[in-house]
Amino acid sequence: MSKATVIGLGKSGIAAARLLKREGWEVELSDSASADSIAERNTSETLLEQQQELAAEQITVKLGQSLELNGANLPQLIVVSPGVPWDIPVLVKARQLGIETIGEMELAWRNLQSLPWVGITGTNGKTTTTALIAAIFQAAELNAPACGNIGYAACEVALSQGAGSREQGAGGAGEKFDNSSVDWVIAELSSYQIESSSSLAPRIGVWTTFTPDHLSRHQTLENYYNIKAKLLRQSELQVFNGDDAYLSQLGLSAWPDAYWTSVRGKDFLISEKGFYIEDGWVVEKLAATSAPEPIVKVSSLRMVGEHNQQNLLMAVATARLAGINRDAIARAVREFPGVAHRLEHICTWEGIDFINDSKATNYDAAEVGLASVKSPAILIAGGEAKAGDDTGWLAQIQTKTAAVLLIGSAAPAFAKRLREVGYHNYHIVETMERAVPKSAELAKQYQAPVVLLSPACASFDQYPNFEVRGDRFRHLCLAWAGGWKPATLELPELENSSQESIVQSR
């Protein structure tokens, strides 16, 4: 029996291991993290239950140790979860030894390539665009699960297809996968997933935005661009955000056959075919000789901000290229609730809206978040800092915020940057538990209509991921709105313009 090793005991890794086992492989699932640290990040079921299930399926689990490629009993295949760097020494060695090494997404593609795929990538906007595309396809009565960087692991979709496949509960608590035949695969693809997917070739590829991100992993902007470009080059049809500064600069010289979009109207369309907004409608022009056709009213979309109009354009373009009618598009757009952790309205307390934008993990996304809310806002920012250009974000802070609360390991550096641009109304509060009640106090003081969590940072200094960070913010906001009372506590060790913070008491 051929041997396969899956690296990473997360949702994607477990799904990949089960898929390989079903295909007849001897499967080992390994994770360098200890059982304790894995248990901390696992929110769906206990680690013990997972291990018992996998053992019953004859899948070996090894925790707290890295894969070693020594001796004669080497695997013929290594499958890598999305969060595992593609260039760690053991994977470099594996490729040198001739061991086939692929990502979980590539494994799913090999099992599902008979189906049409939509592949959505981009620095920002891809989650909302993916969710809206899936909603439109589903409104058209297509079984089109969202997967990859959103929703199900791609290998769970593959597991759902075929005799005797087990139901997967990956989409949320108690949710089961629709095991009926899948019509389209709607995949949100990070640069990590594209990097490890050599043959993935969607029917429709969508590129939402491009700004510097993940450079600690990809090293250069050129590397990061080329990874994402590979997905689009391998796509049969291509949809681009023509309002993105970087992509529009490349334009037709790099992507001559693409369908371009623009919220600014027909005159700003890069190509003679594409989708644009005119007189409050999304308008379709499928060819240079075809007449423009209105598809859906922009006002049907409940989400605010120009960036969401861009997302709408790309989603509608994808749906129309897939042959979906206007009625289904209009119904889906009208009913679309938005995406958790992306400008998600949590609650209103004494006229103040608390908004969760935890998915804003870089400067550009956080800048968009601030631009989309009412002003003046109380901003909660910070976490694990990323490389990038913070100029636009800082300018937005100066324009839109009454005060900034800083959390996480980036707080001192962010405070320094704010001082450098002449902004002094910030408070280092370190934790979300201090930030939420302090934000409510400041919102009352400055008559700010909005408290916005938009961190401009990764979450890994304090949370397993941005979802857990956003969930914690949601919990604290709802608890506050439900009756927590503020109490002041002197915290002289914190850099804070008022030298005080807030702790919660019931």
Side-chain angles (χ1 to χ4, degrees):
M1 184 184 294
S2 298
K3 181 180 178 182
T5 296
V6 179
I7 302 177
L9 186 71
K11 182 170 67 173
S12 298
I14 290 171
R18 284 174 168 152
L19 182 57
L20 288 166
K21 188 67 182 178
R22 194 180 76 182
E23 292 178 344
W25 292 79
E26 176 190 343
V27 183
E28 179 180 288
L29 181 55
S30 72
D31 199 303
S32 59
S34 67
D36 287 343
S37 61
I38 291 173
E40 284 178 14
R41 78 190 185 203
N42 193 311
T43 57
S44 60
E45 57 185 342
T46 68
L47 177 62
L48 180 60
E49 287 172 342
Q50 275 187 339
Q51 288 180 298
Q52 288 172 342
E53 282 189 12
L54 292 166
E57 297 168 41
Q58 297 182 309
I59 294 171
T60 302
V61 178
K62 292 187 176 180
L63 303 179
Q65 51 186 293
S66 299
L67 175 64
E68 292 186 0
L69 298 176
N70 301 315
N73 190 26
L74 296 176
Q76 283 74 52
L77 176 67
I78 296 174
V79 178
V80 183
S81 296
V84 178
W86 192 235
D87 58 354
I88 57 175
V90 69
L91 296 183
V92 173
K93 182 177 180 181
R95 291 189 283 270
Q96 290 172 346
L97 291 171
I99 299 171
E100 186 176 20
T101 306
I102 63 173
E104 178 262 346
M105 184 63 66
E106 173 73 11
L107 178 63
W109 165 255
R110 292 180 183 186
N111 281 266
L112 294 169
Q113 60 184 300
S114 62
L115 298 173
W117 283 50
V118 178
I120 304 99
T121 196
T123 309
N124 298 308
K126 57 183 178 292
T127 297
T128 300
T129 304
T130 302
L132 183 52
I133 289 170
I136 294 172
F137 278 57
Q138 288 157 20
E141 299 185 349
L142 295 167
N143 184 7
C147 67
N149 220 33
I150 182 178
Y152 300 99
C155 280
E156 286 177 307
V157 180
L159 274 169
S160 76
Q161 305 302 288
S165 64
R166 65 193 301 278
E167 287 187 321
Q168 303 296 315
E175 184 179 346
K176 296 297 182 183
F177 194 92
D178 180 356
N179 276 18
S180 60
S181 179
V182 170
D183 298 305
W184 281 79
V185 178
I186 314 297
E188 179 188 334
L189 297 161
S190 70
S191 55
Y192 302 174
Q193 289 163 316
I194 299 168
E195 186 178 34
S196 58
S197 301
S198 58
S199 66
L200 176 59
R203 175 76 57 82
I204 304 171
V206 182
W207 197 335
T208 60
T209 55
F210 185 75
T211 53
D213 198 11
H214 304 302
L215 296 187
S216 60
R217 172 151 166 176
H218 300 311
Q219 305 304 318
T220 69
L221 191 65
E222 183 181 15
N223 288 342
Y224 181 46
Y225 173 85
N226 286 335
I227 288 167
K228 289 191 175 295
K230 181 178 78 169
L231 177 78
L232 275 293
R233 290 190 187 104
Q234 294 180 183
S235 299
E236 185 178 328
L237 301 169
Q238 302 154 343
V239 175
F240 280 80
N241 175 6
D243 296 320
D244 180 82
Y246 194 99
L247 297 176
S248 62
Q249 192 173 23
L250 295 172
L252 294 176
S253 60
W255 304 99
D257 298 319
Y259 291 85
W260 292 85
T261 65
S262 180
V263 300
R264 295 178 290 174
K266 182 180 179 181
D267 291 343
F268 291 88
L269 208 58
I270 289 173
S271 162
E272 292 187 325
K273 62 182 183 182
F275 294 75
Y276 55 92
I277 292 176
E278 188 170 85
D279 298 328
W281 284 80
V282 171
V283 178
E284 163 188 288
K285 196 172 188 301
L286 288 179
T289 55
S290 62
E293 183 179 351
I295 304 299
V296 64
K297 280 189 174 181
V298 176
S299 60
S300 301
L301 187 68
R302 285 186 272 174
M303 295 183 297
V304 299
E306 184 179 277
H307 67 290
N308 279 320
Q309 294 181 7
Q310 293 168 341
N311 297 337
L312 172 64
L313 278 171
M314 290 180 284
V316 171
T318 301
R320 293 296 289 167
L321 292 175
I324 294 174
N325 66 48
R326 285 178 293 182
D327 289 344
I329 292 171
R331 185 167 63 253
V333 171
R334 190 168 57 246
E335 296 173 358
F336 187 65
V339 175
H341 312 294
R342 192 68 182 108
L343 291 171
E344 174 192 12
H345 182 269
I346 301 299
C347 63
T348 301
W349 174 78
E350 298 194 13
I352 303 159
D353 291 328
F354 287 76
I355 296 176
N356 169 23
D357 198 32
S358 182
K359 198 177 191 312
T361 60
N362 56 48
Y363 297 120
D364 297 287
E367 180 184 344
V368 167
L370 261 177
S372 301
V373 300
K374 296 175 185 175
S375 61
I378 306 300
L379 173 66
I380 301 171
E384 184 180 286
K386 289 183 176 180
D389 183 358
D390 63 2
T391 308
W393 177 64
L394 291 169
Q396 201 65 237
I397 286 175
Q398 291 173 295
T399 303
K400 294 291 291 274
T401 68
V404 178
L405 300 175
L406 299 173
I407 63 173
S409 62
F414 278 8
K416 181 174 182 288
R417 289 292 291 133
L418 288 169
R419 288 196 304 273
E420 288 171 355
V421 298
Y423 188 99
H424 298 284
N425 199 18
Y426 63 84
H427 307 252
I428 294 182
V429 293
E430 293 188 334
T431 66
M432 197 76 75
E433 287 71 21
R434 290 190 179 110
V436 168
K438 183 66 173 176
S439 70
E441 176 198 275
L442 292 171
K444 296 286 281 186
Q445 178 183 336
Y446 293 106
Q447 297 184 308
V450 171
V451 169
L452 174 67
L453 169 67
S454 193
C457 282
S459 59
F460 304 123
D461 58 332
Q462 293 179 315
Y463 301 95
N465 51 51
F466 72 81
E467 292 98 338
V468 174
R469 176 173 62 191
D471 288 342
R472 184 61 180 158
F473 176 72
R474 182 190 298 110
H475 169 79
L476 291 167
C477 291
L478 293 174
W480 176 267
W484 276 0
K485 305 297 182 185
T488 59
L489 173 68
E490 294 296 321
L491 293 168
E493 76 277 9
L494 301 183
E495 182 180 345
N496 184 308
S497 60
S498 63
Q499 284 302 306
E500 67 173 28
S501 187
I502 297 291
V503 295
Q504 305 90 344
S505 63
R506 293 200 72 91

